[in-house]
Amino acid sequence: SGWRTGGAHRAVCVYVWCSPLCCLCFSCPQALQAARQFILQQATGLNSPSSNEVKQSPVQVPVSMAMMTPQMITPQQMQQILSPPQLQALLQQQQALMLQQVTHTLTHTGSSQQQQLGNKQLAFQQQLIQMQQLQQQHILNLQRQGLVSLQPGQGAVPIQSLQQAMCPTDLQQLWKDVTGVQSTEEVMKHEGLDLTTNSSNTTSYSASKVSPQIPHHPLPNGQNSVHTPKRDSSTHEEHTASHPLYGHGECKWPGCEALCEDMGQFIKHLNSEHALDDRSTAQCRVQMQVVQQLEIQLAKESERLQAMMTHLHMRPSEPKPFNQPLNLASTMSLSKRETEGFPEGLPHPPTSAATPITPMRQGPSVISSSSLHGVGHIRRRNSDKFCTPIASELAQNCEFYKNADVRPPFTYASLIRHAILEAPDRQLTLNEIYNWFTRMFAYFRRNTATWKNAVRHNLSLHKCFVRVENVKGAVWTVDEVEYQKRRPPKMTGYVDSRLVTFKVIVDPQIKILVPIITLNFVPFSGILSPTLVKNIISGLGFGSLNASYQAALAESSLGLLNSTTLMNNSTGASLNMLHIGHDDVSSTVEQVNSNGSCSPGLSPQQYGHQIHVKEEPAEMEEDSRPMSLMASVTQNLSMPGDERDMEEELPTEELE
DNA sequence: CATAGCTTAAACATTG
DNA sequence: CCAATGTTTAAGCTAT
C-alpha cells in the first residue's frame, strides 16, 4: 500500500533515487561504517519489482520506489541524511559494488544457472557496464578540465590533504571506489609520485579508468588483490582475492551483513543469497537511476565550472589559487581542513569527481558548506537576509533542485514563505511565487496545474499568508507569528514510544551528520536541519511516510527545535554553535529578536487595509512539547561529553 | 477510532 | 468571454 501512482505518492517516489549515501563525506571510520550500514539497511527490504514498473523510463524514480516495501524505507532518509549532492559518491561506490556483484554472479554461477540468464539479464549487465563507463568517462572529462588533475607534481597535495581528513583505510577505499585504482600510493606511482621504493606495480591505471572493472579491496594482510576483471573467472581467485562486497568478515551487500568466516564462505554466500534475481537487479536498478540522474547533474555542473573558469580567465588546467579552493570546497563539499590544505589551489584528486556538487553561486544560498571555509562574510551577509529552516537546505542544494526533477522536501507553505521572504521587500505576487517555484525547482516545471493550485490553496488556507492590496494589485506576505505558531504539530512521544534514541555524529570539518539508530542512550549533537530531523524521523521507523508529510514533520520538528524557548540557554547555545552555518537556528532567533519580543517581521497590521483574518484550526499549545522528539534531543544535547568535544573541534568562527 | 497536517482535486467566485 | 486569481470544500494519505 502506499505506492500507487498519482497524488502524493509521486512525491514519495521522487526521493528514491537518492537512497544510497555518500561515504566520502565522512572522515570518521565509524561514521563511515555506520552510514554504510544505515544505507544498506534501507535497501534490505527491497522487494521484487513488478515487471511492468521496471520497464518504465530508467530515469524516473517511481520505478525504484516501486521496488521498495512501504515499511522499510527510506529513500527519504538517505536523501535527508545528506544533502542530495552529497549522495553522489556513495552512489557510485555502491553502483560499482553492485556492478561487480552482478558481473561476478554472471561469471561464477554454475553453467546451469548461467543458462537461465536470459537476454534480459545480459542486457542489464551490459547496461551496468555502460553506466560504469559513463562514470569513468566523467572522471576523465573532469581531468581534462583541470578539475581533477593528476598531472605529475599535482597529485601529492590533494591526496595528502584528503588523507588528513579521512582515515587512510577509508580514503583508500573511497579512492578505489571512485577511480578504480588500487590505492592512492598506486596513483602516485603512476603519476610519478612514487614515494616508495617499490615501483614494480604494473596495474594499469588508465585501463582501470576506462574499463568497467571494479577495484578490489586489499587483502587483510595488506596485499592488494590482482586487479582481475570478474569475467576472468577463476575458481582459485575466489578464495585468494579480496572482494569489494566482503570485508571485516561480513558480506557487504546492501542490507545483508551476513557473517562469513573466509572468502570461500563468502563466495558461497554471495552466489546463494545474492544471485542474479529480481531483488539484486532491483537494487542495481536503483543505483543505475541514481547514477544516471547524477551524471546529468555532473555534466551540467562541469559545464558551469568551465564557463566560470573561462569567465575568470582561468585556464581549466591552471586554476588560480585564490579561487580554486573556494570552487572546490563548495563544488566538492570538501572539508575545511581539506580546503585549507590546498593553499596552492591545486586540484583535488579524482575523488572529487564523484563527490557531491554543491551550489555555489545561488544568491543568498551560497553559504552553508562553502561558507565554512573562510567566506564567513558571505554567510553572514546572506544569513541576515532571511531566515527559514529550509534556507540552509535550499542553499546547499539549490542547484540540485534546480536541475534534478526531485520534489523538494518541504511543504508548500514553507516554500511559499521562503519565496516571499527571499523577495527584496518580502512580498510577492502570486505569479512571482509561481516563477520562484519554477525557477528554483525543476520539479515544479511540470504538473503546473497541480502545484499552482496547491500554492493558491495554501495561500488562502494558511493564516500566515497575508494578502495585501497595493496600487499595482495584490501581493502576498508572510505573517511570521502565524507561521511560527502553526509549526509545531503534535508529535508527542513518538520517540519514546519506540524506545529508540539516536546520535548524530558530526564531523566538524565536513559538517555532515551521521544519524545512527541505536538502542542506547546516546548524546545528541550535531547540525540541525530539516533534512536531518526528517531523517531522524524516518530513521525511527517512519520510512513509509509520505514524502510530503515527512517534509512537514521535519520542518515542524525543526521549528520546534528552533524555538529557543524549548531549550535552556546552554543547550540552545550549543545548538547554535553546532549548526552548520547556523542559518536556521540562529537566524530564526535573530529574526524574532530583531523585531522585538517575538513579533513578526511583518504583521498584518503593517499592511493596512484589505486584510481579513483567516480561520485556521486552533494551534496546539506549548504544553505537549516536553515529550516531543526535540525535547529528547535537547536532553541529549546537554550531555557534557559530546558537547564539549564539539566545542573544541569547532572553529572559532562557529562560536561567534 | 479520533485527530492532525499535508496534498491534491475541484467547484465556485472575483477581477482585470 | 477568458484567464488569472482567490476561496472553499472534500477526499485521501500519512502519522500519533
Side-chain angles (χ1 to χ4, degrees), chain A residues 4 457 460 467 476 492 498 542 544-545 612:
Chain A
R4 308 178 195 122
H457 167 76
S460 293
R467 184 175 180 272
W476 289 94
T492 303
R498 292 163 191 275
F542 296 83
S544 59
L545 218 55
H612 71 278

CSV table of all heavy atoms in Angstrom, one decimal, chain A residues 4 457 460 467 476 492 498 542 544-545 612, chain C residues 5-10 12-16:
chain,number,residue,atom,x,y,z
A,4,ARG,N,1.1,3.8,-4.9
A,4,ARG,CA,0.3,3.9,-6.2
A,4,ARG,C,0.7,5.1,-6.9
A,4,ARG,O,1.5,5.9,-6.5
A,4,ARG,CB,-1.2,4.0,-5.8
A,4,ARG,CG,-1.6,2.9,-4.8
A,4,ARG,CD,-3.0,3.1,-4.5
A,4,ARG,NE,-3.3,2.2,-3.3
A,4,ARG,CZ,-3.8,2.7,-2.2
A,4,ARG,NH1,-4.0,4.0,-2.1
A,4,ARG,NH2,-4.1,1.9,-1.2
A,457,HIS,N,-4.1,27.3,-3.0
A,457,HIS,CA,-4.8,26.8,-1.8
A,457,HIS,C,-4.1,27.1,-0.5
A,457,HIS,O,-4.7,27.5,0.4
A,457,HIS,CB,-4.9,25.3,-2.0
A,457,HIS,CG,-5.3,24.5,-0.8
A,457,HIS,ND1,-6.6,24.5,-0.4
A,457,HIS,CD2,-4.6,23.8,0.1
A,457,HIS,CE1,-6.7,23.7,0.7
A,457,HIS,NE2,-5.5,23.3,1.0
A,460,SER,N,-4.3,30.7,0.5
A,460,SER,CA,-5.6,31.1,1.1
A,460,SER,C,-5.9,30.4,2.4
A,460,SER,O,-6.5,31.0,3.3
A,460,SER,CB,-6.7,30.7,0.1
A,460,SER,OG,-6.7,31.4,-1.1
A,467,ARG,N,-2.6,38.5,2.3
A,467,ARG,CA,-2.8,39.2,1.1
A,467,ARG,C,-2.9,40.7,1.3
A,467,ARG,O,-3.7,41.1,2.1
A,467,ARG,CB,-4.0,38.6,0.3
A,467,ARG,CG,-4.2,39.2,-1.1
A,467,ARG,CD,-5.4,38.5,-1.7
A,467,ARG,NE,-5.6,39.0,-3.1
A,467,ARG,CZ,-6.4,40.0,-3.3
A,467,ARG,NH1,-7.0,40.7,-2.4
A,467,ARG,NH2,-6.6,40.4,-4.6
A,476,TRP,N,1.4,39.0,-1.8
A,476,TRP,CA,1.3,38.1,-0.6
A,476,TRP,C,2.5,38.3,0.3
A,476,TRP,O,3.6,38.4,-0.2
A,476,TRP,CB,1.2,36.6,-1.1
A,476,TRP,CG,-0.1,36.3,-1.7
A,476,TRP,CD1,-0.4,36.3,-3.1
A,476,TRP,CD2,-1.3,35.9,-1.1
A,476,TRP,NE1,-1.7,36.0,-3.3
A,476,TRP,CE2,-2.2,35.7,-2.1
A,476,TRP,CE3,-1.6,35.7,0.3
A,476,TRP,CZ2,-3.5,35.3,-1.8
A,476,TRP,CZ3,-2.9,35.3,0.6
A,476,TRP,CH2,-3.9,35.1,-0.4
A,492,THR,N,4.0,14.3,20.0
A,492,THR,CA,4.4,13.9,21.3
A,492,THR,C,4.7,12.4,21.4
A,492,THR,O,3.9,11.6,21.1
A,492,THR,CB,3.3,14.2,22.3
A,492,THR,OG1,3.0,15.6,22.2
A,492,THR,CG2,3.7,13.9,23.7
A,498,ARG,N,9.0,4.4,20.9
A,498,ARG,CA,9.8,3.4,20.2
A,498,ARG,C,11.1,3.0,21.0
A,498,ARG,O,11.8,2.1,20.5
A,498,ARG,CB,10.2,3.9,18.8
A,498,ARG,CG,9.0,4.0,18.0
A,498,ARG,CD,9.3,4.9,16.8
A,498,ARG,NE,8.0,5.2,16.1
A,498,ARG,CZ,7.5,4.4,15.2
A,498,ARG,NH1,8.1,3.4,14.8
A,498,ARG,NH2,6.3,4.8,14.6
A,542,PHE,N,9.8,5.7,10.3
A,542,PHE,CA,8.8,6.4,9.6
A,542,PHE,C,9.1,6.3,8.1
A,542,PHE,O,8.7,7.2,7.4
A,542,PHE,CB,8.7,7.8,10.1
A,542,PHE,CG,8.2,8.0,11.5
A,542,PHE,CD1,9.1,7.8,12.5
A,542,PHE,CD2,6.9,8.1,11.8
A,542,PHE,CE1,8.7,8.0,13.8
A,542,PHE,CE2,6.5,8.2,13.1
A,542,PHE,CZ,7.4,8.1,14.1
A,544,SER,N,7.8,4.7,5.8
A,544,SER,CA,6.7,4.7,4.8
A,544,SER,C,6.0,6.0,4.7
A,544,SER,O,5.1,6.1,4.0
A,544,SER,CB,5.8,3.6,5.3
A,544,SER,OG,5.3,3.9,6.5
A,545,LEU,N,6.5,6.9,5.5
A,545,LEU,CA,5.9,8.2,5.5
A,545,LEU,C,5.9,8.8,4.1
A,545,LEU,O,6.8,8.8,3.3
A,545,LEU,CB,6.7,9.2,6.4
A,545,LEU,CG,5.9,10.1,7.2
A,545,LEU,CD1,4.8,9.4,8.0
A,545,LEU,CD2,6.8,10.9,8.1
A,612,HIS,N,-8.1,40.4,5.8
A,612,HIS,CA,-9.1,39.7,6.6
A,612,HIS,C,-8.4,38.5,7.3
A,612,HIS,O,-7.4,38.0,6.8
A,612,HIS,CB,-10.2,39.2,5.7
A,612,HIS,CG,-9.9,38.1,4.8
A,612,HIS,ND1,-9.2,38.3,3.6
A,612,HIS,CD2,-10.0,36.7,5.0
A,612,HIS,CE1,-9.1,37.1,3.0
A,612,HIS,NE2,-9.5,36.1,3.8
C,5,DT,P,-1.9,35.0,-11.7
C,5,DT,OP1,-0.9,36.1,-11.6
C,5,DT,OP2,-1.6,33.6,-11.8
C,5,DT,O5',-3.0,35.3,-10.6
C,5,DT,C5',-3.7,36.5,-10.5
C,5,DT,C4',-4.8,36.4,-9.5
C,5,DT,O4',-5.9,35.6,-10.1
C,5,DT,C3',-4.5,35.8,-8.2
C,5,DT,O3',-4.7,36.8,-7.2
C,5,DT,C2',-5.4,34.6,-8.0
C,5,DT,C1',-6.5,35.0,-9.0
C,5,DT,N1,-7.3,33.8,-9.5
C,5,DT,C2,-8.6,33.7,-9.2
C,5,DT,O2,-9.2,34.5,-8.6
C,5,DT,N3,-9.2,32.6,-9.8
C,5,DT,C4,-8.7,31.6,-10.5
C,5,DT,O4,-9.3,30.7,-11.0
C,5,DT,C5,-7.2,31.8,-10.8
C,5,DT,C7,-6.5,30.8,-11.6
C,5,DT,C6,-6.6,32.8,-10.3
C,6,DG,P,-4.2,36.6,-5.8
C,6,DG,OP1,-4.0,38.0,-5.2
C,6,DG,OP2,-3.1,35.7,-5.8
C,6,DG,O5',-5.4,36.0,-5.0
C,6,DG,C5',-6.6,36.7,-4.9
C,6,DG,C4',-7.7,35.8,-4.4
C,6,DG,O4',-8.1,34.9,-5.4
C,6,DG,C3',-7.4,35.0,-3.1
C,6,DG,O3',-8.2,35.4,-2.1
C,6,DG,C2',-7.7,33.5,-3.5
C,6,DG,C1',-8.6,33.7,-4.7
C,6,DG,N9,-8.6,32.6,-5.7
C,6,DG,C8,-7.5,32.1,-6.4
C,6,DG,N7,-7.9,31.1,-7.2
C,6,DG,C5,-9.2,30.9,-6.9
C,6,DG,C6,-10.1,29.9,-7.5
C,6,DG,O6,-9.9,29.1,-8.3
C,6,DG,N1,-11.4,30.1,-6.9
C,6,DG,C2,-11.7,31.0,-6.0
C,6,DG,N2,-13.0,31.0,-5.6
C,6,DG,N3,-10.9,31.9,-5.5
C,6,DG,C4,-9.7,31.8,-6.0
C,7,DT,P,-8.1,34.7,-0.7
C,7,DT,OP1,-8.5,35.8,0.3
C,7,DT,OP2,-6.9,34.0,-0.5
C,7,DT,O5',-9.4,33.7,-0.8
C,7,DT,C5',-10.6,34.2,-1.1
C,7,DT,C4',-11.7,33.1,-1.0
C,7,DT,O4',-11.5,32.2,-2.1
C,7,DT,C3',-11.6,32.3,0.3
C,7,DT,O3',-12.8,32.3,1.0
C,7,DT,C2',-11.2,30.9,-0.2
C,7,DT,C1',-11.7,30.9,-1.6
C,7,DT,N1,-11.0,30.0,-2.5
C,7,DT,C2,-11.7,29.0,-3.2
C,7,DT,O2,-12.9,28.8,-3.0
C,7,DT,N3,-10.9,28.3,-4.1
C,7,DT,C4,-9.6,28.4,-4.3
C,7,DT,O4,-9.0,27.7,-5.1
C,7,DT,C5,-8.9,29.4,-3.6
C,7,DT,C7,-7.5,29.7,-3.8
C,7,DT,C6,-9.6,30.2,-2.7
C,8,DT,P,-12.9,31.7,2.4
C,8,DT,OP1,-14.0,32.4,3.1
C,8,DT,OP2,-11.6,31.5,3.0
C,8,DT,O5',-13.5,30.2,2.1
C,8,DT,C5',-14.6,30.1,1.2
C,8,DT,C4',-14.8,28.7,0.9
C,8,DT,O4',-13.8,28.3,-0.1
C,8,DT,C3',-14.7,27.7,2.0
C,8,DT,O3',-16.0,27.1,2.3
C,8,DT,C2',-13.7,26.6,1.5
C,8,DT,C1',-13.6,26.9,0.0
C,8,DT,N1,-12.3,26.6,-0.6
C,8,DT,C2,-12.3,25.7,-1.7
C,8,DT,O2,-13.3,25.1,-2.1
C,8,DT,N3,-11.0,25.5,-2.2
C,8,DT,C4,-9.9,26.1,-1.8
C,8,DT,O4,-8.8,25.8,-2.3
C,8,DT,C5,-10.0,27.0,-0.7
C,8,DT,C7,-8.8,27.7,-0.2
C,8,DT,C6,-11.2,27.2,-0.2
C,9,DT,P,-16.1,26.2,3.5
C,9,DT,OP1,-17.5,26.4,4.1
C,9,DT,OP2,-14.9,26.2,4.4
C,9,DT,O5',-16.1,24.8,2.8
C,9,DT,C5',-16.9,24.6,1.6
C,9,DT,C4',-16.7,23.2,1.0
C,9,DT,O4',-15.4,23.3,0.3
C,9,DT,C3',-16.5,22.1,2.0
C,9,DT,O3',-17.5,21.1,1.6
C,9,DT,C2',-15.1,21.6,1.8
C,9,DT,C1',-14.7,22.1,0.4
C,9,DT,N1,-13.3,22.4,0.2
C,9,DT,C2,-12.6,21.8,-0.8
C,9,DT,O2,-13.2,21.0,-1.6
C,9,DT,N3,-11.3,22.1,-0.9
C,9,DT,C4,-10.6,22.9,-0.1
C,9,DT,O4,-9.4,23.1,-0.2
C,9,DT,C5,-11.3,23.5,1.0
C,9,DT,C7,-10.6,24.4,2.0
C,9,DT,C6,-12.6,23.2,1.1
C,10,DA,P,-17.7,19.9,2.6
C,10,DA,OP1,-19.1,19.5,2.5
C,10,DA,OP2,-17.1,20.1,3.9
C,10,DA,O5',-16.9,18.7,1.8
C,10,DA,C5',-17.0,18.6,0.4
C,10,DA,C4',-16.0,17.6,-0.1
C,10,DA,O4',-14.7,18.2,-0.3
C,10,DA,C3',-15.8,16.4,0.8
C,10,DA,O3',-16.0,15.2,0.1
C,10,DA,C2',-14.3,16.5,1.2
C,10,DA,C1',-13.7,17.4,0.1
C,10,DA,N9,-12.6,18.2,0.5
C,10,DA,C8,-12.5,19.1,1.6
C,10,DA,N7,-11.3,19.7,1.7
C,10,DA,C5,-10.6,19.1,0.6
C,10,DA,C6,-9.3,19.4,0.2
C,10,DA,N6,-8.4,20.2,0.8
C,10,DA,N1,-8.8,18.6,-0.8
C,10,DA,C2,-9.6,17.8,-1.4
C,10,DA,N3,-10.9,17.5,-1.1
C,10,DA,C4,-11.3,18.2,-0.1
C,12,DG,P,-11.9,9.1,-0.7
C,12,DG,OP1,-12.3,8.2,-1.8
C,12,DG,OP2,-12.5,9.0,0.6
C,12,DG,O5',-10.3,9.0,-0.6
C,12,DG,C5',-9.4,9.4,-1.6
C,12,DG,C4',-8.0,9.6,-1.1
C,12,DG,O4',-8.0,10.8,-0.4
C,12,DG,C3',-7.6,8.5,-0.1
C,12,DG,O3',-6.4,7.8,-0.6
C,12,DG,C2',-7.3,9.3,1.2
C,12,DG,C1',-7.1,10.7,0.7
C,12,DG,N9,-7.4,11.7,1.7
C,12,DG,C8,-8.6,11.8,2.4
C,12,DG,N7,-8.5,12.8,3.3
C,12,DG,C5,-7.3,13.4,3.1
C,12,DG,C6,-6.7,14.4,3.8
C,12,DG,O6,-7.1,15.2,4.6
C,12,DG,N1,-5.4,14.7,3.3
C,12,DG,C2,-4.7,13.9,2.3
C,12,DG,N2,-3.5,14.3,2.0
C,12,DG,N3,-5.3,12.9,1.7
C,12,DG,C4,-6.5,12.7,2.1
C,13,DC,P,-6.0,6.5,0.1
C,13,DC,OP1,-5.6,5.6,-1.0
C,13,DC,OP2,-7.0,6.2,1.1
C,13,DC,O5',-4.7,7.0,0.9
C,13,DC,C5',-3.5,7.5,0.1
C,13,DC,C4',-2.6,8.3,1.0
C,13,DC,O4',-3.3,9.5,1.4
C,13,DC,C3',-2.2,7.6,2.3
C,13,DC,O3',-1.0,6.8,2.1
C,13,DC,C2',-1.9,8.8,3.2
C,13,DC,C1',-2.7,9.9,2.6
C,13,DC,N1,-3.7,10.5,3.5
C,13,DC,C2,-3.3,11.6,4.4
C,13,DC,O2,-2.2,12.0,4.3
C,13,DC,N3,-4.3,12.0,5.2
C,13,DC,C4,-5.5,11.5,5.3
C,13,DC,N4,-6.4,12.0,6.1
C,13,DC,C5,-5.8,10.4,4.4
C,13,DC,C6,-4.9,9.9,3.6
C,14,DT,P,-0.6,5.8,3.1
C,14,DT,OP1,0.5,5.0,2.5
C,14,DT,OP2,-1.8,5.2,3.7
C,14,DT,O5',0.0,6.7,4.3
C,14,DT,C5',1.3,7.4,4.0
C,14,DT,C4',1.6,8.4,5.1
C,14,DT,O4',0.5,9.3,5.1
C,14,DT,C3',1.6,7.8,6.5
C,14,DT,O3',2.9,7.3,6.8
C,14,DT,C2',1.3,9.1,7.3
C,14,DT,C1',0.4,9.9,6.5
C,14,DT,N1,-1.0,9.8,6.9
C,14,DT,C2,-1.5,10.7,7.7
C,14,DT,O2,-0.8,11.6,8.2
C,14,DT,N3,-2.8,10.6,8.1
C,14,DT,C4,-3.7,9.6,7.6
C,14,DT,O4,-4.8,9.6,8.0
C,14,DT,C5,-3.1,8.6,6.7
C,14,DT,C7,-4.0,7.5,6.2
C,14,DT,C6,-1.8,8.8,6.4
C,15,DA,P,3.1,6.2,7.9
C,15,DA,OP1,4.5,5.8,7.9
C,15,DA,OP2,2.0,5.3,7.8
C,15,DA,O5',2.8,7.1,9.2
C,15,DA,C5',3.8,8.0,9.7
C,15,DA,C4',3.2,9.0,10.7
C,15,DA,O4',2.0,9.5,10.2
C,15,DA,C3',2.9,8.3,12.0
C,15,DA,O3',4.0,8.4,12.9
C,15,DA,C2',1.8,9.3,12.5
C,15,DA,C1',1.1,9.8,11.3
C,15,DA,N9,-0.2,9.2,11.0
C,15,DA,C8,-0.5,8.2,10.2
C,15,DA,N7,-1.8,7.9,10.2
C,15,DA,C5,-2.4,8.8,11.0
C,15,DA,C6,-3.7,9.1,11.4
C,15,DA,N6,-4.7,8.4,11.0
C,15,DA,N1,-3.9,10.1,12.3
C,15,DA,C2,-2.8,10.8,12.7
C,15,DA,N3,-1.6,10.7,12.4
C,15,DA,C4,-1.4,9.7,11.5
C,16,DT,P,4.0,7.6,14.2
C,16,DT,OP1,5.4,7.7,14.7
C,16,DT,OP2,3.3,6.3,14.0
C,16,DT,O5',3.1,8.5,15.2
C,16,DT,C5',3.5,9.9,15.4
C,16,DT,C4',2.4,10.5,16.3
C,16,DT,O4',1.1,10.4,15.7
C,16,DT,C3',2.3,9.8,17.7
C,16,DT,O3',2.2,10.8,18.7
C,16,DT,C2',1.1,9.0,17.6
C,16,DT,C1',0.2,9.8,16.6
C,16,DT,N1,-0.7,9.0,15.8
C,16,DT,C2,-2.1,9.2,15.9
C,16,DT,O2,-2.6,10.0,16.6
C,16,DT,N3,-2.8,8.3,15.1
C,16,DT,C4,-2.4,7.3,14.3
C,16,DT,O4,-3.2,6.7,13.6
C,16,DT,C5,-0.9,7.2,14.2
C,16,DT,C7,-0.4,6.1,13.4
C,16,DT,C6,-0.2,8.0,15.0
